[in-house]
Amino acid sequence: MKHLLALLLLTFAINSQAQYTYHPFPVDSAIWTYYSWGQYTSGPFWKSNRHIIIKNKDTTIKGTQYKVLFHRSARSLFYLPSSNNDTPISSISYYPDLPYGAIREDNKKIYAIRYSQSWDTVERVIYDFNLVAGDTLPAFVYVDNPWPPNNHATHYIIDHIDTVTLGGKTRKRFVAFGYDSGTLDYKDSAIVTEGIGSDKGLFYYNHFFRGGTRFRCHSAPGLFYGVDTPCVYTHEYGTPTSIPTTNTKVGTDIYPNPTIDKTTIEAPIGTHIIVYNSTGKIVATKTSKTTKETIDLQELPSGLYIINLYNEQLGIDQRKKIMKL
């Protein structure tokens, strides 16, 4: 009986290992989305949607091939403390995508190189999916600046490893807790998921800009990993007419369309309304105080316009095209 039980357990272990397959990091169409806010010295406040993007572009550094990481950002109109701090964030990037860094994968390890004016010469391990319980995660996960000399004293020790199914695939998940000054803090956790990154994003983003930051989501072909809402997408600089509707759960409407002078917008109270012309320039803005708001287009030239409806609390992030005759 004991031999039979041992054989069954061995068979189960072999089958479990056979069913599990390591899932590497994506190499194309991958986006890590963040929300940030802050204030320039003695200047206006701002808030921004930011992205780290992989779009299948290679670079060779010191004879080694990497995937380039790009940074994309869309910012609210600046606002002063005495004015409306609900100023909406544009859905279109205000400058072209810029290099942020580069990563490569080898033997379940993810290596990164920084980009700042030019490529860094030092490569660092940012993820290691060969680790086991009791090991320490790479320090970049929760530090303000993952690049030396600004190292952080706190480190994160892996408590246990389990699995989670995302994108139809079973992935290992490393759950770690903070450890500093000889004390283990179970309230200070770090979660790293195979093929995705940490629950603070690909990198902890505070080292890149002033102000606060919050990781929202990660998406790649066939995969969505959400940490915070709403998960917004910022469209590339210079492509306003290609914007699709990204949220259809909350009903909105625009009529008449086409119009010769005015259009009515039906949307929940508190929805930010931003009107762009065909070149991406903002030509009108409004925040709805009723469920039916009128936008006057009479003084604008004939042509195609994009109306962005945004309500963070209700998860509305919609784009609609309207023709002015």
Side-chain angles (χ1 to χ4, degrees):
M1 184 67 179
K2 291 182 179 180
H3 293 292
L4 178 59
L5 179 59
L7 180 61
L8 289 174
L9 290 174
L10 178 60
T11 303
F12 175 77
I14 292 173
N15 288 337
S16 298
Q17 292 177 4
Q19 292 172 1
Y20 171 76
T21 302
Y22 172 74
H23 298 290
F25 262 61
V27 296
D28 189 17
S29 304
I31 303 174
W32 288 263
T33 298
Y34 304 77
Y35 170 72
S36 68
W37 62 95
Q39 180 185 22
Y40 288 106
T41 304
S42 302
F45 290 87
W46 53 265
K47 51 189 178 181
S48 180
N49 290 323
R50 298 176 182 267
H51 308 274
I52 297 176
I53 300 174
I54 298 177
K55 46 186 177 181
N56 205 20
K57 180 176 176 59
D58 297 328
T59 187
T60 301
I61 305 170
K62 298 176 66 176
T64 303
Q65 191 173 37
Y66 295 82
K67 290 293 178 183
V68 179
L69 300 171
F70 291 92
H71 171 248
R72 182 181 300 174
S73 178
R75 186 170 292 170
S76 66
L77 301 174
F78 294 147
Y79 61 91
L80 296 174
S82 60
S83 64
N84 179 17
N85 62 5
D86 289 330
T87 306
I89 299 173
S90 171
S91 59
I92 304 173
S93 178
Y94 55 89
Y95 55 70
D97 295 348
L98 299 175
Y100 175 82
I103 64 172
R104 70 180 181 91
E105 181 166 356
D106 182 39
N107 191 29
K108 300 183 182 180
K109 292 183 179 181
I110 312 300
Y111 298 85
I113 282 185
R114 183 188 187 186
Y115 185 90
S116 179
Q117 306 301 322
S118 62
W119 291 109
D120 198 349
T121 58
V122 180
E123 178 185 72
R124 298 172 178 86
V125 176
I126 61 171
Y127 292 102
D128 184 353
F129 294 102
N130 299 292
L131 299 178
V132 297
D135 287 342
T136 301
L137 291 178
F140 85 97
V141 175
Y142 276 78
V143 299
D144 284 344
N145 189 340
W147 314 103
N150 296 320
N151 291 323
H152 199 280
T154 300
H155 53 284
Y156 290 83
I157 298 176
I158 299 173
D159 180 79
H160 63 274
I161 301 172
D162 56 18
T163 59
V164 61
T165 301
L166 293 168
K169 298 177 180 178
T170 301
R171 304 165 187 266
K172 282 186 178 179
R173 182 174 61 177
F174 297 70
V175 180
F177 295 101
Y179 190 86
D180 191 19
S181 301
T183 302
L184 191 62
D185 185 358
Y186 286 98
K187 294 181 181 179
D188 186 9
S189 64
I191 299 175
V192 173
T193 304
E194 192 179 82
I196 293 175
S198 81
D199 58 339
K200 291 298 183 184
L202 180 62
F203 299 101
Y204 186 39
Y205 217 86
N206 260 0
H207 75 282
F208 195 75
F209 57 93
R210 295 179 180 178
T213 182
R214 186 165 66 238
F215 175 58
R216 281 184 160 166
C217 60
H218 164 66
S219 61
L223 171 65
F224 176 80
Y225 174 67
V227 174
D228 193 18
T229 57
C231 184
V232 299
Y233 175 73
T234 298
H235 297 270
E236 286 190 81
Y237 176 80
T239 57
T241 57
S242 65
I243 301 174
T245 294
T246 58
N247 185 309
T248 58
K249 294 181 180 179
V250 179
T252 60
D253 197 11
I254 297 180
Y255 58 86
N257 187 14
T259 182
I260 59 174
D261 51 12
K262 298 179 181 180
T263 188
T264 298
I265 297 175
E266 289 189 3
I269 295 173
T271 298
H272 301 300
I273 304 167
I274 311 172
V275 183
Y276 300 88
N277 64 14
S278 59
T279 66
K281 180 181 178 181
I282 297 177
V283 294
T285 62
K286 194 172 190 178
T287 300
S288 63
K289 296 181 180 179
T290 68
T291 56
K292 291 185 180 181
E293 292 288 342
T294 299
I295 298 293
D296 190 349
L297 306 176
Q298 188 170 0
E299 300 300 322
L300 297 176
S302 299
L304 179 68
Y305 292 86
I306 304 294
I307 298 182
N308 179 205
L309 305 178
Y310 180 71
N311 188 316
E312 182 171 358
Q313 291 184 339
L314 298 179
I316 299 174
D317 186 12
Q318 298 182 14
R319 265 69 61 186
K320 296 179 181 290
K321 296 179 182 180
I322 186 169
M323 180 63 68
K324 162 72 187 307
L325 300 177

